[in-house]
Amino acid sequence: MKNIIETKDVNVFYDTNHVLKDITMDIKEHSVTAFIGPSGCGKSTFIRCLNRMNDYIESFSMKGQVLIDGKDIYKKKVRVEELRQKVGMVFQKPNPFPKSIFENVAYGLHIQGETDKQLIAERVEKSLHRSALWKEVKDILHKSALSLSGGQQQRLCIARTLAVKPSVILMDEPASALDPISTAKIEELILELKQHYTIVIVTHNMQQASRISDRTAFFYMGDLIEYDKTKDIFTNPKKKETENYISGRFG
Amino acid sequence: MKLKRTAEKVIESGLALSGLITLLTTLGIIWVLVTESIGFFSEVSIVDFLFDTQWTPLFTQKHYGILPLLSGTFLTTSIAILVAVPLGVIIAVYLSEYAPYKFRITVKPLLELLAAVPTVVYGFFALTVVTPFLQSFIPGVSTFNALSAGLVMGIMIIPMISSLSEDALQALPKSLREASFGMGATRFQTAFKVAVPAASSGIIVSVILAIARAIGETMVVAMAAGQQPQLTLDPREGVETITAYIVQVSLGDVPHGSLAYKTIFAAGITLFAFTFLLNNISYWLKKKYQEKYE
């Protein structure tokens, strides 16, 4: 499998605060990669570097390269709008728009200027199928998305992301605001989505990382301490810090 | 310990009293408006009041039709709103969705200064600067005209709309914008397809409050729009608003208790009905809006 994401010596600063140090990492296509580590270790900042969501933070600055399909996404001529259609994102708290369920999923197509109603309707249905929400919402597509439960809202947000046909989906603690049953559904979904998409997920939950990911990266104080096959990280960590963290001695 | 409890009691009743005073003042105003208007309507039929097209209580040939005053108020208010809504909303969107943080916190208070300028200054500005300017390129503009008064009043209420709308936009959760940006939306799409619709009830509230303010505004219209009640929608003409009429009579030599004197209460209660209605609509919308985002 080829590498879809490659980062080279990524350093991130908030003003003078050095929050990520020389992160170099390859992520393979159609795999699930988990980022773990204690709060403030830089894992969320790093995942947001992969689709330039940090651009809106005024104190943010970055050195190094992030390559997606071999292209440096921080080059001046790159259009961030196109980048984010390719590298979609699901956030920590479900954040549907205060619009109807249908409109939420159709939003990405609308902003691309798509007007073919049939194409939009088909894509909405397909995306909702893929996010395992279709059965629950097929009769209430025109109700407000805010009337759904938290877990349903998060699957709606995933459907919304799928509708623009990304190749990579970034998930920043997508289940941390959900109950165990909804979490299980999201995890199941991630394993299915893996066939079609590359998934990068930040999680606080180590069991979750071990259940769903192929590779795991452990971050600590802005450093990438260890990055390996998930099985190796959890059964045979090479670094002391990793071992301490996964055995629950800190964090 | 006992002293402390007594102090608490005193403070509590002091607070209750201040609340009561404002309530009583409002009730007092309504009472005066209603009783004086009853006196008026016992002499003038309500049909004449609502449908007669002339308002001439101070002339020998007396007519008591409120329509000319209403049309004057409607005309100046509409012009003001046409100026203030687009500008106010655009400013709010710019400040909230585009401007860097430092720029926003510097410019917003400066904009709000516009609201601190005494209205008599605006009136003077309309009469001596804006009207001659309008006359220089629009034929047929009278010395007193609705257009000049409306334009200046519009500028005056911009900060009301921009400031309240900006608050409404800022109250939206950051995650909403992130969701939109994360899907590849531009700033413009995020602002107008997500943020503005999501904050629409707050923006509408600001517009309604601005309308109520424009309807109740007195000084600018009394100085720049004139004192000729006429039923017209031509903005170049002089018109008289309800408020300007009340000023005219209050300052004039109309004897207390006369029918002419009572007209200002009839005009006043009409004005009150409108602003009361608008305030209630905005209150209702605000409540609905708060439920949604808590």
Side-chain angles (χ1 to χ4, degrees):
Chain A
M1 275 191 290
K2 68 166 189 153
N3 292 332
I4 189 162
I5 303 174
E6 292 171 319
T7 72
K8 289 178 184 160
D9 297 322
V10 169
N11 281 278
V12 169
F13 302 84
Y14 291 132
D15 288 328
T16 55
N17 196 4
H18 198 173
V19 293
L20 280 176
K21 296 159 196 163
D22 295 326
I23 310 294
T24 299
M25 179 189 267
D26 298 334
I27 291 171
K28 290 198 178 353
E29 214 172 13
H30 300 311
S31 67
V32 178
T33 305
F35 294 174
I36 60 168
S39 301
C41 68
K43 57 192 189 304
S44 279
T45 300
F46 186 63
I47 201 174
R48 282 163 175 261
C49 285
L50 304 180
N51 70 342
R52 293 186 53 175
M53 282 304 281
N54 290 325
D55 286 15
Y56 303 101
I57 299 169
E58 281 170 34
S59 60
F60 171 84
S61 63
M62 195 198 94
K63 281 187 208 145
Q65 286 184 311
V66 177
L67 309 176
I68 307 254
D69 273 339
K71 284 187 203 117
D72 186 348
I73 61 165
Y74 279 87
K75 280 256 168 63
K76 269 234 165 72
K77 62 178 181 206
V78 169
R79 285 196 57 218
V80 280
E81 291 80 21
E82 276 169 29
L83 164 70
R84 295 198 188 119
Q85 283 161 21
K86 197 167 161 187
V87 185
M89 187 154 203
V90 176
F91 298 84
Q92 189 169 357
K93 256 181 74 185
N95 55 358
F97 302 124
K99 301 174 188 279
S100 74
I101 292 166
F102 185 91
E103 283 299 319
N104 262 279
V105 185
Y107 180 75
L109 292 168
H110 282 313
I111 59 175
Q112 286 176 24
E114 184 58 65
T115 50
D116 183 341
K117 280 193 179 156
Q118 199 180 338
L119 187 147
I120 293 174
E122 281 169 11
R123 191 79 69 78
V124 167
E125 180 174 342
K126 199 174 166 204
S127 306
L128 286 168
H129 269 301
R130 279 224 165 140
S131 71
L133 192 61
W134 177 252
K135 275 187 202 145
E136 292 156 64
V137 301
K138 67 176 194 289
D139 299 321
I140 53 165
L141 286 176
H142 294 282
K143 271 181 98 175
S144 167
L146 300 175
S147 65
L148 298 174
S149 74
Q152 289 175 321
Q153 287 189 5
Q154 194 62 305
R155 277 181 283 146
L156 179 70
C157 292
I158 293 174
R160 184 173 67 181
T161 306
L162 298 181
V164 292
K165 297 196 163 173
S167 37
V168 179
I169 303 172
L170 309 175
M171 298 186 169
D172 189 357
E173 298 187 43
S176 65
L178 305 180
D179 63 79
I181 294 170
S182 304
T183 302
K185 278 192 184 158
I186 300 274
E187 288 183 10
E188 212 176 294
L189 181 58
I190 289 171
L191 289 174
E192 262 169 51
L193 291 175
K194 194 173 112 169
Q195 299 164 17
H196 307 277
Y197 310 91
T198 306
I199 292 169
V200 182
I201 178 171
V202 166
T203 178
H204 261 296
N205 180 333
M206 277 178 284
Q207 281 80 25
Q208 186 170 63
S210 69
R211 279 193 299 263
I212 61 174
S213 70
D214 301 303
R215 296 171 78 85
T216 297
F218 171 59
F219 289 82
Y220 183 56
M221 310 257 291
D223 285 306
L224 175 59
I225 305 288
E226 195 168 346
Y227 176 44
D228 212 331
K229 292 204 176 85
T230 299
K231 204 177 70 193
D232 292 336
I233 289 272
F234 283 95
T235 55
N236 186 20
K238 292 184 183 62
K239 298 272 170 64
K240 193 83 193 135
E241 292 99 321
T242 317
E243 195 187 336
N244 286 343
Y245 184 69
I246 58 165
S247 60
R249 249 167 272 171
F250 77 96
Chain B
M1 202 56 201
K2 189 153 185 238
L3 197 72
K4 213 171 172 186
R5 211 178 298 160
T6 325
E8 278 291 320
K9 274 260 162 63
V10 172
I11 291 168
E12 200 182 311
S13 32
L15 292 175
L17 195 68
S18 347
L20 203 64
I21 288 171
T22 53
L23 187 68
L24 287 178
T25 313
T26 312
L27 288 177
I29 290 171
I30 296 174
W31 171 253
V32 172
L33 279 177
V34 169
T35 48
E36 295 282 347
S37 302
I38 288 173
F40 173 81
F41 284 114
S42 64
E43 289 176 64
V44 177
S45 95
I46 197 150
V47 177
D48 282 348
F49 182 73
L50 292 178
F51 297 108
D52 195 329
T53 56
Q54 287 183 63
W55 179 261
T56 53
L58 309 178
F59 297 170
T60 33
Q61 185 77 33
K62 292 187 194 314
H63 285 277
Y64 299 98
I66 192 80
L67 283 175
L69 295 185
L70 276 182
S71 79
T73 304
F74 173 76
L75 191 58
T76 51
T77 301
S78 306
I79 295 168
I81 289 302
L82 281 178
V83 173
V85 169
L87 281 174
V89 171
I90 288 169
I91 290 171
V93 168
Y94 175 73
L95 285 180
S96 167
E97 309 298 317
Y98 285 85
Y101 176 74
K102 276 198 183 130
F103 182 80
R104 170 156 55 91
I105 55 166
T106 322
V107 166
K108 206 182 169 197
L110 288 178
L111 253 175
E112 282 166 0
L113 261 184
L114 270 183
V117 176
T119 55
V120 65
V121 176
Y122 280 109
F124 191 69
F125 176 68
L127 191 61
T128 61
V129 179
V130 177
T131 299
F133 172 69
L134 293 172
Q135 281 169 330
S136 71
F137 66 94
I138 305 174
V141 173
S142 324
T143 311
F144 296 106
N145 64 83
L147 185 58
S148 170
L151 289 177
V152 170
M153 204 153 71
I155 293 168
M156 192 175 81
I157 58 177
I158 283 174
M160 250 185 119
I161 295 182
S162 65
S163 191
L164 290 173
S165 299
E166 204 257 353
D167 289 344
L169 287 166
Q170 282 294 309
L172 296 174
K174 205 177 99 203
S175 61
L176 218 53
R177 289 183 192 94
E178 286 196 323
S180 175
F181 287 137
M183 315 247 346
T186 60
R187 268 187 198 269
F188 185 80
Q189 288 168 329
T190 304
F192 286 96
K193 294 198 175 193
V194 175
V196 169
S200 58
S201 37
I203 293 170
I204 292 168
V205 166
S206 82
V207 171
I208 291 172
L209 289 177
I211 294 174
R213 172 85 166 81
I215 288 176
E217 168 53 31
T218 310
M219 214 57 218
V220 175
V221 284
M223 288 172 80
Q227 303 191 326
Q228 307 140 275
Q230 39 177 336
L231 191 54
T232 176
L233 289 177
D234 183 347
R236 297 171 305 174
E237 303 251 358
V239 293
E240 183 162 46
T241 64
I242 299 177
T243 51
Y245 173 75
I246 295 174
V247 172
Q248 184 191 358
V249 173
S250 309
L251 298 180
D253 46 11
V254 175
H256 271 237
S258 66
L259 183 59
Y261 178 75
K262 284 177 190 158
T263 57
I264 65 172
F265 293 97
I269 205 164
T270 313
L271 187 64
F272 180 77
F274 276 103
T275 47
F276 183 74
L277 186 72
L278 288 172
N279 267 320
N280 275 305
I281 293 174
S282 74
Y283 180 76
W284 175 76
L285 278 172
K286 213 190 250 169
K287 245 178 77 179
K288 212 178 140 196
Y289 165 76
Q290 278 167 347
E291 276 167 7
K292 211 158 141 193
Y293 278 104
E294 250 167 16

